[in-house]
Structure formats: structure tokens, C-alpha cells
């Protein structure tokens, strides 16, 4: 058997008025919004109709109440029942015209925000269609009553009267109401006054007339200081015809956290919906704060955020393209200023370069990156070297930068945010660009062989060194390379590391998983890292001439430990034990052979 839902009106009013909105302050915005919509509706019928919203605070009323008067279209008694007492129905609103896109919102739900600060809302309204003034009184518990008003309005329009609930008086003081009316309604196209003082401006800040571009830029900078609290690095206009959006973007003068969601000041048909709306710009544009006014974007039910739909997505893409165009134009018109910008906001530009070829070209040409020949743009690096070699971690780069430079190899530090991905994307803008990750095995091929006679004479030492490192799964190699100050270099390429990890996992896995992992262990190349001793280093030459095998072993172990630390490689327990043992052993030898005076 079908039955209708039973609705607790008191619960619905409590839900909408106390949980739909983020703060009691929005009641001023909702009252102004309803008033502006009523004026818009009247002017659609009579273009010469008066357009004014008057707000009276307790300083004027004298009885603690707040009154909002408008010169709008007004309502008849049937319309009062339909619009003010029916929650969730839209059909009648459509026929009356209050659901068209010209209006900020719809009567009914917005009025419920009054119950955030008051237990009772009283509406006096007279329609331009004729009829007497109707009084509607709504209560926070869900009740309402409609009656003919004792005091008839002389002109069409509406007056809303609120008396503060106990404890909410601060929300209706003259200072608070003036601040809120200015915050939400300063850009409204109709005059809004609070206690006789206008709070609206005649022009949007980015559309106000100015004597010169310099004056306009200075005015926008002042607006950013007042609105956001910073003097912008630069500003530029935004627009999107599809969503009826105009506005201005302000570039932050200091680095911003790319993980933080950028909040923007968004107006809907010149009414502020929120001061920190997210999702208006792409995530990579975290260095931008903007103020916009849109005609077609949809707000959420609380009108404190934007509804995520196809129109918002296309608007976001259009605004992102305009941010990108500003960067490209800056690179052409003022390269020095672009360099200044990149020094502040390189992360945002690099994030955009991951997806946009134009921005990738800009990064390639202008953004300085860390290389083993200094901080230079990638384009300059490619002019010096035929191949862009890189290492994906800062630690690897710092270990091998000087060595690679000494061998005549250019090396880029790809360990910073987005840089490895950018380097691998370079062939997208020029197929002739060669980009490769530097493998340690490749670096070793550039080292010089030791003279055969010298190597033959050092075989006993090399055998001793290899025995010392066999238990550490490390190969010992003797080479000559620059810089001579580097005694030894620990080299571990990706393939070797992968094979070592695979075989270590097989050793502790059960039979089933060991067989499965064995299927991947098909590479029979060298499976141990290398400790390359530099024969050009004076210390290595002295160590290789030691006659005491025990002392030579401790010295090689010390070189191995130092190479791990310099390369910031992770230390296994066996490596840590070796480091301690070789250090203590060398100290013991030094003290034993060079005793202090007694």
C-alpha cells in the first residue's frame, strides 16, 4: 500500500537553516539576494522601476530589529503561500519567473537562513500586480501564518523584519550588518544602503575607468592589498564568454604551497558567494588568486561554493589557458621579469609543462636547472652537450656530478619536483633531443685503465681487497679517473640493484613464491655493485703499497664505508658493523704504532 512521506517541518527548517550554511553571517547575503531578485523581476516588466535595497539596523529601528526593504516585484497572497511556505517545489517559481538564470536564487530556501539568527521572520509584501499588502510570519519550529497587513505599503515591494534570538544580538548590530552588506553586496548593480549609507560601488574593480594603464595597474594592486593582503607580482584580466565570467588574476609575490588548495573570491551576478572558492582554476595554478564575477556558473545549494559540472570544467580549462598565455607573453615581452617569476613560482610552471608543450618550451628555454656545469636553462645545457643525461635523485647527482664532469659528461639533477618527467618529455617538442638516465655502468666505461705493469704488481693487494668485500657482495675494481681527490666510488646501477633485491627476496620466500620470483631472474649479467678505487688518488696508492694484509683490509673496508656514506646509500646491518669495525681498527692501529708520550 502506497503512502506519502511524513515530513517533520521543524526538523527540515533546522536542517536547512542550521546545517546548510557555514556561518550565521550569510543571512544578510540571502536577504539582499532575495531583494535583488525581486527588483530584477520588476525591472523585467518595467525598465524604469526604482531599484533600491534599504537595510535598517537597530540604530535606526530603535527596537533591536533589522529591516530589509526592497522596491521589487512583490508577492500576492497565493504567491506568498507558494514561494515562502513551500520548500523544494520549483514549478510555480518557473511560471513566476524566479527560476530564470537572471536571478541569483529563489525565494523560500534563502529565507530560511533568517532562522540562523532569529526565531521569527516577518515579511510584508505588496505585488505590482495589485492587491493588498500581505503579512507572512514564519517561525523556526516550522509554523507560518499569512494575513492582511494592518499597515499597507504605499508602493510595491517587500520588507523583511528580524528580531535577534537571545545570544545572537551581535549579528544584528549596525557595525556587523554594515560589514556584511559591504562584503557580500558591494558589487551589486543596484544601490544598497545601510542606515542611509551606500555600500555599493558603481563599477567592478577590473572594469572601472582609469586615466592610463599604469593607473589601472596601481588601482588593481591596491585592490589586491585590501582584499588579499598582498601586493601582487602582476595582474591580468580573465574572461570566459561561455560562463559569462569576467575578472582579474593576481600573481602571488611569494612562493606558495602547491599542495594547498587556492581559494578565489567569486561573485555570482555581482553577489559574493564566497571569499575562498576552490576549483575555479586548475590545480597547477596555485600561484594565482583571482576575483571574478560570473553569470552562468551554478552555485551549490548553500550558495557558498560552485557546483562541479561541465560548464565549470570548461571554464576552468579556459582560465588555465589564459594563465598559460600570460606566461608565454611575459617570456616574449619581458624575459628578465619572467626569470624573476620563475625564481618564485618554478613549481607551478613545471607542473604545467608536464601537460602543455608551449609551457615545456618555455621551461626548456628559461628555467634554470641544477647541472654539473652550474645552474643553466636546459636549452643552454643542450647546446653544450649532445645528450641530456640525468639522475633521478639529488643524492646520486651529488655523488656523481663531479666525476661525470671530469669525464666530459653533462649531468642534470632530476631529483627535484617534476624535473625528471620534464626531461623525459623534451623529445615531445623536438624528436632530435636525446635524453637518457645516466647508468653507473656507463660512467665506469669512461674511466681509464691502470697501466698493465702497475696492475700486475698490485694483484696481491687487489686479491686482499676482494676477499675483504666478498662477504659484502661487492666487486673491487682499480681504475684511474678524475677528480684525483676522490679515493673510491661505489657504483650500483638499476639492473644490478633489481637483481640483488629479487634474489634477496627469493632467499626468504617459501618454495612457491621462490619459484615464481625465479621466473623473473633471467638476467645473467653482473649482480654485484662495484667499488672503484682511483689509482690517481695519493691515499689509494699508499694503501695499495701496504705490506700488512690486515692493515690493507681495514683500509679497504674504510674506503668502502666512506663511499657508501658519500653516496648516501642505505646502510645494511652488515655495513654498519663494518664501518664500526674498520674505524675502531684503524684507531687501534694508530694508537698502537704511534703511542703517546708517557
Amino acid at each position: 500500500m502506497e503512502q506519502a512521506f511524513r515530513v517533520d517541518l521543524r526538523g527540515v527548517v533546522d536542517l536547512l537553516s542550521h546545517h546548510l550554511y557555514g556561518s550565521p553571517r550569510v543571512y544578510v547575503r540571502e536577504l539582499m539576494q532575495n531583494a535583488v531578485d525581486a527588483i530584477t523581476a520588476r525591472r523585467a516588466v518595467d525598465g524604469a522601476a526604482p531599484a533600491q535595497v534599504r537595510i535598517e539596523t537597530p540604530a535606526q529601528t530603535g527596537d533591536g530589529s533589522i529591516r530589509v526593504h526592497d522596491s521589487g516585484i512583490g508577492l500576492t497572497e497565493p504567491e506568498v503561500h507558494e514561494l515562502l511556505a513551500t520548500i523544494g517545489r520549483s514549478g510555480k517559481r518557473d511560471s513566476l519567473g524566479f527560476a530564470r538564470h537572471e536571478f541569483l536564487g529563489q525565494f523560500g530556501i534563502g529565507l530560511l537562513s533568517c532562522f540562523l539568527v532569529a526565531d521569527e521572520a516577518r515579511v510584508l509584501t505588496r505585488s505590482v500586480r495589485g492587491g493588498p499588502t500581505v503579512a507572512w510570519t514564519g517561525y523556526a519550529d516550522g509554523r507560518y501564518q499569512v494575513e492582511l497587513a494592518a499597515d499597507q505599503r504605499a508602493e510595491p515591494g517587500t520588507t523583511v523584519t528580524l528580531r535577534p534570538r537571545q545570544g545572537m544580538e551581535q549579528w544584528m548590530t549596525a557595525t556587523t550588518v554594515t560589514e556584511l552588506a559591504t562584503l557580500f553586496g558591494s558589487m551589486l548593480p543596484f544601490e544598497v544602503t545601510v542606515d542611509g549609507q551606500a555600500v555599493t560601488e558603481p563599477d567592478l574593480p577590473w572594469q572601472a575607468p582609469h586615466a592610463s594603464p599604469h593607473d589601472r595597474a596601481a588601482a588593481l594592486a591596491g585592490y589586491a592589498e585590501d582584499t588579499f593582503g598582498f601586493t601582487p607580482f602582476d595582474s591580468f584580466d580573465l574572461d570566459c564568454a561561455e560562463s559569462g565570467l569576467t575578472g582579474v588574476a593576481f600573481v602571488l609575490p611569494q612562493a606558495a604551497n602547491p599542495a594547498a588548495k587556492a581559494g578565489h573570491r567569486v561573485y555570482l551576478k555581482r553577489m559574493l558567494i564566497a571569499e575562498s572558492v576552490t576549483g575555479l582554476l586548475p590545480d597547477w595554478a596555485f600561484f594565482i588568486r583571482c576575483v571574478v564575477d560570473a553569470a552562468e556558473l551554478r552555485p551549490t545549494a548553500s550558495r557558498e561554493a560552485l557546483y562541479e559540472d561541465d560548464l565549470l570544467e570548461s571554464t576552468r580549462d579556459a582560465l588555465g589557458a589564459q594563465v598559460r598565455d600570460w606566461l608565454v607573453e611575459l617570456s616574449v615581452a619581458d624575459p628578465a621579469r619572467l626569470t624573476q617569476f620563475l625564481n618564485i613560482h618554478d613549481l607551478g610552471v613545471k607542473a604545467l609543462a608536464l601537460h602543455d608543450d608551449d609551457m615545456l618550451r618555455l621551461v626548456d628555454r628559461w628555467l634554470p636547472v641544477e647541472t654539473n656545469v652550474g645552474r643553466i636553462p636546459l636549452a643552454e645545457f643542450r647546446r653544450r652537450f649532445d645528450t641530456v643525461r640525468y639522475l633521478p635523485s639529488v643524492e646520486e647527482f651529488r655523488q656523481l656530478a663531479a666525476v661525470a664532469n671530469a669525464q666530459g659528461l653533462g649531468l642534470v639533477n632530476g631529483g627535484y619536483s617534476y624535473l625528471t618527467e620534464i626531461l623525459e618529455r623534451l623529445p615531445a617538442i623536438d624528436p632530435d633531443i636525446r635524453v637518457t638516465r645516466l647508468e653507473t655502468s656507463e660512467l665506469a666505461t669512461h674511466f681509464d685503465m691502470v697501466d698493465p705493469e702497475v696492475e700486475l704488481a698490485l694483484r696481491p693487494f687487489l686479491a686482499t681487497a676482494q676477499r675483504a668485500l666478498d662477504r659484502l657482495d661487492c666487486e673491487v675494481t682499480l681504475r684511474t679517473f678524475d677528480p684525483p681527490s676522490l679515493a673510491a666510488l661505489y657504483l650500483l646501477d638499476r639492473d644490478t640493484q633489481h637483481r640483488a633485491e629479487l634474489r634477496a627476496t627469493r632467499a626468504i620466500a617459501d618454495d612457491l613464491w621462490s619459484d615464481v620470483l625465479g621466473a623473473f631472474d633471467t638476467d645473467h649479467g653482473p649482480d654485484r655493485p662495484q667499488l672503484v678505487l682511483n689509482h690517481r688518488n695519493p691515499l689509494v696508492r699508499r694503501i695499495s703499497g701496504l705490506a700488512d694484509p690486515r692493515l690493507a683490509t681495514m683500509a679497504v673496508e674504510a674506503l668502502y664505508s666512506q663511499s657508501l656514506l658519500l653516496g648516501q646509500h642505505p646502510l645494511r646491518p652488515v655495513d654498519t658493523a663494518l664501518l664500526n669495525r674498520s674505524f675502531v681498527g684503524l684507531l687501534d692501529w694508530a694508537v698502537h704504532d704511534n703511542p703517546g708520550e708517557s
Side-chain angles (χ1 to χ4, degrees):
M1 180 176 60
E2 289 186 354
Q3 295 186 19
F5 283 107
R6 288 175 291 180
V7 178
D8 181 352
L9 290 180
R10 180 179 300 184
V12 171
V13 170
D14 177 75
L15 175 66
L16 293 178
S17 61
H18 290 87
H19 304 286
L20 180 66
Y21 301 103
S23 166
R25 69 176 189 165
V26 299
Y27 86 93
V28 174
R29 183 196 66 193
E30 296 298 322
L31 290 176
M32 288 194 299
Q33 177 171 284
N34 284 345
V36 170
D37 281 346
I39 293 172
T40 302
R42 183 175 179 182
R43 282 208 156 184
V45 178
D46 179 6
Q52 187 181 48
V53 179
R54 293 186 299 109
I55 302 176
E56 296 176 344
T57 70
Q60 287 280 330
T61 62
D63 59 3
S65 67
I66 179 177
R67 297 191 182 101
V68 180
H69 310 272
D70 69 63
S71 58
I73 196 170
L75 301 174
T76 64
E77 182 175 349
E79 291 167 354
V80 165
H81 284 281
E82 186 65 34
L83 293 174
L84 301 186
T86 304
I87 300 172
R89 285 184 62 185
S90 61
K92 192 63 176 177
R93 293 189 183 95
D94 291 336
S95 64
L96 292 172
F98 291 118
R100 297 199 304 271
H101 77 282
E102 291 90 352
F103 300 99
L104 296 169
Q106 297 174 359
F107 289 102
I109 291 182
L111 194 60
L112 292 175
S113 65
C114 296
F115 298 118
L116 293 169
V117 295
D119 289 323
E120 176 184 310
R122 182 170 176 80
V123 178
L124 294 178
T125 181
R126 179 184 173 188
S127 174
V128 294
R129 299 176 179 87
T133 300
V134 179
W136 177 93
T137 306
Y139 303 93
D141 61 7
R143 296 177 296 112
Y144 78 93
Q145 65 183 40
V146 178
E147 58 188 349
L148 294 181
D151 298 326
Q152 295 291 304
R153 289 179 59 100
E155 296 292 335
T158 300
T159 297
V160 179
T161 302
L162 301 179
R163 297 182 187 278
R165 181 188 303 116
Q166 185 176 359
M168 304 300 289
E169 292 83 2
Q170 73 274 17
W171 290 105
M172 293 191 189
T173 63
T175 300
T176 299
V177 172
T178 301
E179 289 177 354
L180 294 178
T182 303
L183 172 67
F184 291 114
S186 63
M187 294 190 186
L188 286 172
F190 308 132
E191 184 183 48
V192 178
T193 61
V194 179
D195 292 340
Q197 299 297 314
V199 299
T200 47
E201 299 291 338
D203 299 295
L204 295 172
W206 55 92
Q207 294 178 346
H210 295 93
S212 67
H214 179 269
D215 291 341
R216 181 176 187 268
L220 289 177
Y223 177 78
E225 292 173 6
D226 295 338
T227 304
F228 295 113
F230 64 81
T231 301
F233 175 86
D234 201 356
S235 61
F236 56 94
D237 291 331
L238 298 173
D239 66 86
C240 178
E242 183 181 7
S243 55
L245 180 146
T246 64
V248 61
F250 298 105
V251 183
L252 291 173
Q254 70 280 331
N257 180 5
K261 290 288 187 180
H264 309 287
R265 196 178 186 94
V266 176
Y267 292 80
L268 183 62
K269 302 178 184 70
R270 302 184 65 155
M271 173 75 79
L272 179 70
I273 63 170
E275 299 165 274
S276 187
V277 174
T278 60
L280 183 66
L281 293 183
D283 290 340
W284 54 260
F286 57 83
F287 51 86
I288 297 289
R289 297 293 181 271
C290 61
V291 181
V292 301
D293 177 54
E296 303 295 337
L297 292 178
R298 293 173 57 195
T300 57
S302 65
R303 289 185 286 282
E304 295 178 331
L306 293 175
Y307 186 79
E308 188 69 40
D309 58 9
D310 292 341
L311 180 58
L312 178 58
E313 183 177 359
S314 62
T315 300
R316 183 163 49 235
D317 292 342
L319 298 184
Q322 291 170 37
V323 176
R324 182 202 63 186
D325 292 344
W326 169 79
L327 284 168
V328 174
E329 182 180 347
L330 190 63
S331 70
V332 175
D334 195 344
R337 190 160 174 77
L338 175 68
T339 300
Q340 184 182 357
F341 168 81
L342 293 176
N343 289 335
I344 302 173
H345 296 298
D346 63 313
L347 281 178
V349 177
K350 288 192 290 187
L352 178 54
L354 297 182
H355 312 285
D356 187 280
D357 288 348
D358 288 337
M359 292 308 301
L360 182 60
R361 292 185 182 92
L362 185 147
V363 166
D364 176 50
R365 182 179 179 185
W366 297 108
L367 183 67
V369 298
E370 184 178 1
T371 76
N372 62 344
V373 291
R375 285 186 60 82
I376 58 176
L378 290 170
E380 174 63 26
F381 181 87
R382 290 188 289 106
R383 280 191 287 270
R384 300 189 189 185
F385 303 97
D386 59 351
T387 300
V388 179
R389 293 181 175 87
Y390 71 90
L391 285 170
S393 74
V394 175
E395 292 77 13
E396 286 183 282
F397 174 83
R398 290 174 178 170
Q399 179 195 15
L400 300 178
V403 179
N405 190 30
Q407 316 313 312
L409 298 177
L411 190 60
V412 178
N413 185 354
Y416 296 108
S417 299
Y418 307 123
L419 196 51
T420 292
E421 295 87 343
I422 286 174
L423 293 172
E424 293 175 346
R425 278 204 72 226
L426 285 177
I429 59 175
D430 185 353
D432 293 332
I433 297 177
R434 291 187 292 175
V435 180
T436 181
R437 172 174 171 165
L438 178 69
E439 296 292 349
T440 55
S441 56
E442 177 190 0
L443 184 61
T445 62
H446 291 267
F447 296 163
D448 295 331
M449 301 293 292
V450 179
D451 183 88
E453 293 184 2
V454 174
E455 186 172 12
L456 181 63
L458 294 180
R459 278 188 178 178
F461 164 74
L462 292 175
T464 298
Q466 188 59 65
R467 284 194 299 271
L469 298 188
D470 271 339
R471 62 181 179 275
L472 300 172
D473 292 326
C474 183
E475 296 284 343
V476 177
T477 306
L478 186 65
R479 294 288 187 271
T480 61
F481 57 88
D482 290 326
S485 59
L486 185 63
L489 189 63
Y490 183 81
L491 299 180
L492 175 63
D493 61 33
R494 285 183 297 171
D495 292 338
T496 300
Q497 185 176 15
H498 173 72
R499 285 192 296 271
E501 292 173 351
L502 181 63
R503 292 169 186 176
T505 304
R506 287 187 64 191
I508 62 175
D510 57 32
D511 293 341
L512 175 61
W513 284 108
S514 180
D515 291 340
V516 172
L517 294 174
F520 297 96
D521 190 8
T522 58
D523 195 328
H524 301 291
D527 59 356
R528 302 209 291 185
Q530 288 182 307
L531 180 68
V532 184
L533 302 178
N534 185 8
H535 194 253
R536 284 186 182 150
N537 180 267
L539 177 61
V540 171
R541 288 201 297 270
R542 291 181 61 188
I543 291 174
S544 63
L546 292 173
D548 184 351
R550 176 176 170 273
L551 184 57
T553 296
M554 286 191 296
V556 170
E557 290 174 344
L559 289 177
Y560 169 83
S561 300
Q562 182 199 36
S563 299
L564 289 180
L565 294 175
L566 287 177
Q568 300 190 30
H569 297 283
L571 295 180
R572 301 168 296 175
V574 65
D575 297 326
T576 304
L578 178 76
L579 174 63
N580 294 331
R581 185 171 64 251
S582 61
F583 178 72
V584 172
L586 289 173
L587 283 179
D588 180 68
W589 173 83
V591 173
H592 182 269
D593 283 18
N594 300 278
E597 294 183 3
S598 58

